[in-house]
Amino acid sequence: MEASQQTGNAPPTDEPSLRWRRRLLPSALADELDLAPDGRPGRRRRTARDWIVDFCCFLIAVLIGLAAADQLDQNPNLPHDLAVLDQLIGAASCAAVWLRRRWPLGLALAMVPVGLVSDSAGGAVAISIFTLAVHRPFRYVAWIAGTSILLVPVFFWLRPSPSDPFLVSVAFTVIIAVTCVGWGMFVRSRRQLLMSLRDRAHRAETEAALRAEQAQRLAREAIAREMHDVLAHRLTLLSVHAGALEFRPDAPQPEIARAAGVIRESAHEALQDLREIIGVLRAEDHGEESGRPQPTLVALDALIAESREAGMKVSIDNRVADPEAVPASTGRTAYRIAQEGLTNARKHAPGAEVAVHVAGAPGEGLTVTVSNPPPPGEVPHVPGSGQGLIGLTERAGLAGGRLDHGPGDEGGFTVRAWLPWSA
């Protein structure tokens, strides 16, 4: 029990020390330690390509070390014991190359004094500088590689080459070091470029998915709005006439037959509209239109006639000279506004005379007004929550117009919309 409690309380005790170590150490040294939240160093598993590259680096370091060891045996000014020690240090340095991915900065720092005392460790020194240039920012590379290059003349002054002049040896070694730094920085830049391209591609895919999701959401909202505008008119007719039959079971037979006919026709039309909307949802290409053409301002007279046949009192004042000249999108929006206005008047002001006024011209815009006085009698309860007016406001806004609605001066209700009509 005590052991489990100590184990569970250990990480919170170590977290402050870990944070202070990260604040005090340079960023590269913190990366070297690879401190995890639980205090244990985390490691990335090496891939097959990583193993192949590491083996090639180790092989290069060994070959350079063997060549340098052969030169040591041919140097008569170097004692045998010192040559053996040089080779042992070189062998240990070559073995340390396998740690280059885990501690690139630490390995490069360790190779600075090693390169000063061991000739056979030259390959490991070059590999450490190359690795540092690949995995760490340039400021660390500049300090460590610069220090190694400044120590090159000191090395050849202490241990001159028996075959090459001093300046040639120094120049050749400096060129090798600069080449390793340049090659490593090139590899680092290429990796950063590939990561940037992958990140851009990922962001582009994410943005494309978001745009597609947004377009799908907008399409669903448009379909839902269209479904409400289309079906609300039909279903309101069903509700009103069914309510009339319920409250007046002793009505004359012709009136009952007419109401039943309206109910049948409205149900048929509602079913047909629902089939069209479902067909749009199932269509592979959402840009295709439904089977029947969408109603425009030309169909406004048919809408008024249908409402009159359902028993409404409707007067229309259409001052548009040529309804066919109205753009299709504007005419469709105007039709839906008039349809929803008639639907609301039928639900909330039965028996009242509804006035529909349409006026406009190219360049001036199109105005649609649907108004009704207070209902003459008791209003039966018909389900409704005002979603139609909200949808009409959004529809008018999407068309570039505006819509206002509210009670009239004498207690009625007015819906007034203005839609753009370009010249």
Side-chain angles (χ1 to χ4, degrees):
M1 183 68 180
E2 294 178 359
S4 62
Q5 290 179 355
Q6 292 176 359
T7 304
N9 296 334
T13 304
D14 294 337
E15 285 182 0
S17 61
L18 293 177
R19 289 197 296 266
W20 279 108
R21 290 171 67 183
R22 285 189 175 275
R23 292 177 183 176
L24 295 176
L25 292 176
S27 59
L29 290 178
D31 292 338
E32 288 292 302
L33 296 175
D34 195 12
L35 300 176
D38 57 358
R40 295 176 299 179
R43 297 184 181 181
R44 183 180 65 87
R45 293 176 61 92
R46 295 187 186 184
T47 63
R49 179 183 177 277
D50 294 339
W51 283 106
I52 293 174
V53 173
D54 290 345
F55 179 77
C56 292
C57 291
F58 172 75
L59 185 60
I60 292 174
V62 170
L63 293 177
I64 296 177
L66 291 176
D70 184 65
Q71 293 292 331
L72 291 175
D73 294 337
Q74 298 177 7
N75 189 353
N77 300 324
L78 187 66
H80 177 71
D81 294 340
L82 188 58
V84 172
L85 180 61
D86 189 306
Q87 294 175 11
L88 292 176
I89 295 175
S93 301
C94 292
V97 169
W98 289 101
L99 304 176
R100 70 186 193 91
R101 292 184 185 273
R102 185 68 182 88
W103 294 297
L105 181 59
L107 179 62
L109 284 172
M111 289 297 107
V112 173
V114 169
L116 185 62
V117 299
S118 175
D119 197 1
S120 57
V125 174
I127 294 299
S128 67
I129 293 176
F130 166 75
T131 304
L132 183 66
V134 171
H135 294 282
R136 291 294 178 263
F138 178 72
R139 60 181 182 274
Y140 300 102
V141 180
W143 279 105
I144 297 178
T147 303
S148 299
I149 291 174
L150 291 177
L151 292 177
V152 169
V154 178
F155 175 80
F156 285 104
W157 179 71
L158 295 175
R159 299 173 60 177
S161 175
S163 59
D164 298 327
F166 175 79
L167 293 179
V168 174
S169 300
V170 172
F172 179 76
T173 307
V174 170
I175 291 174
I176 293 297
V178 172
T179 302
C180 292
V181 172
W183 186 19
M185 293 180 63
F186 169 76
V187 173
R188 178 181 175 85
S189 300
R190 182 175 178 273
R191 288 183 178 181
Q192 291 177 344
L193 176 61
L194 292 177
M195 291 177 62
S196 175
L197 293 177
R198 291 195 192 100
D199 184 61
R200 289 182 181 179
H202 178 70
R203 286 203 306 267
E205 292 177 358
T206 304
E207 291 175 359
L210 291 176
R211 286 195 299 269
E213 183 180 356
Q214 184 180 10
Q216 187 178 15
R217 178 177 59 83
L218 294 177
R220 289 176 177 176
E221 291 179 357
I223 292 174
R225 189 183 301 112
E226 190 73 15
M227 180 181 295
H228 177 276
D229 294 343
V230 171
L231 295 182
H233 180 71
R234 310 293 183 190
L235 296 180
T236 301
L237 288 177
L238 291 174
S239 178
V240 170
H241 285 82
L245 293 178
E246 179 183 2
F247 286 103
R248 295 189 59 189
D250 56 345
Q253 188 66 27
E255 185 176 345
I256 294 177
R258 186 175 63 85
V262 172
I263 293 175
R264 180 185 59 79
E265 184 66 22
S266 298
H268 176 75
E269 293 292 335
L271 183 60
Q272 182 66 23
D273 294 333
L274 184 60
R275 285 174 179 172
E276 292 178 3
I277 295 173
I278 293 177
V280 173
L281 292 174
R282 290 177 177 176
E284 295 182 0
D285 185 4
H286 295 286
E288 296 179 355
E289 297 291 339
S290 59
R292 291 190 303 177
Q294 294 294 316
T296 59
L297 194 61
V298 179
L300 183 60
D301 292 335
L303 176 65
I304 300 299
E306 180 183 4
S307 299
R308 288 171 176 171
E309 291 178 2
M312 290 187 66
K313 300 177 182 179
V314 184
S315 63
I316 181 171
D317 182 14
N318 191 349
R319 298 185 180 182
V320 178
D322 186 7
E324 295 183 355
V326 179
S329 60
T330 303
R332 182 163 53 250
T333 303
Y335 178 89
R336 295 304 184 195
I337 292 173
Q339 185 183 47
E340 181 65 23
L342 292 173
T343 301
N344 289 338
R346 185 182 297 113
K347 289 193 300 183
H348 304 293
E353 183 177 359
V354 184
V356 179
H357 177 78
V358 181
E364 298 179 0
L366 184 67
T367 303
V368 180
T369 304
V370 181
S371 59
N372 61 269
E378 184 180 357
V379 180
H381 175 71
V382 179
S385 58
Q387 295 298 321
L389 293 176
I390 297 176
L392 287 183
T393 304
E394 294 177 353
R395 183 188 288 271
L398 292 175
R402 59 183 179 272
L403 184 139
D404 300 322
H405 57 83
D409 297 336
E410 300 179 357
F413 197 85
T414 302
V415 176
R416 182 180 296 103
W418 178 88
L419 301 173
W421 184 359
S422 59

